[in-house]
Amino acid sequence: MIHPNFLDQLQMFVTAARLGTFSATAKKMGRAQNVVSYGISTLENSLGVELFDRGGHKAALTKAGEALKR
C-alpha cells in the first residue's frame, strides 16, 4: 500500500539525492532533519528497497536509489 505522503516522500528523496545530505534537505524543505529521515525511511519501506547507504558521513545512493533518481 502506498503511504498517504508518498509524493512528499518522493520530493524528499529527489532533494536528498541532489543535495547529498538529509540535513541539507531538511533546511531546503523547511523541515526537521528527523522528519526527512523518517520520510525517506518510510518511502524505502513502501518500495521494499534501500535507497541510501547511511554508513558514511553522507547518505550515498544505492543502486536502487540511482535507478529511482533517473
Side-chain angles (χ1 to χ4, degrees), residues 5-68:
N5 296 325
F6 184 73
L7 293 177
D8 191 43
Q9 294 165 353
L10 280 176
Q11 184 61 46
M12 288 179 194
F13 166 77
V14 169
T15 305
R18 187 169 37 91
L19 297 178
T21 67
F22 291 177
S23 60
T25 299
K27 185 174 182 177
K28 175 81 174 173
M29 296 185 74
R31 308 280 181 90
Q33 189 271 333
N34 65 324
V35 171
V36 172
S37 293
Y38 178 77
I40 291 174
S41 177
T42 302
L43 176 63
E44 290 174 323
N45 288 335
S46 294
L47 298 175
V49 295
E50 192 171 289
L51 300 171
F52 288 96
D53 176 4
R54 295 166 175 83
H57 178 67
K58 293 176 111 179
L61 288 171
T62 62
K63 287 183 181 183
E66 286 287 349
L68 183 61

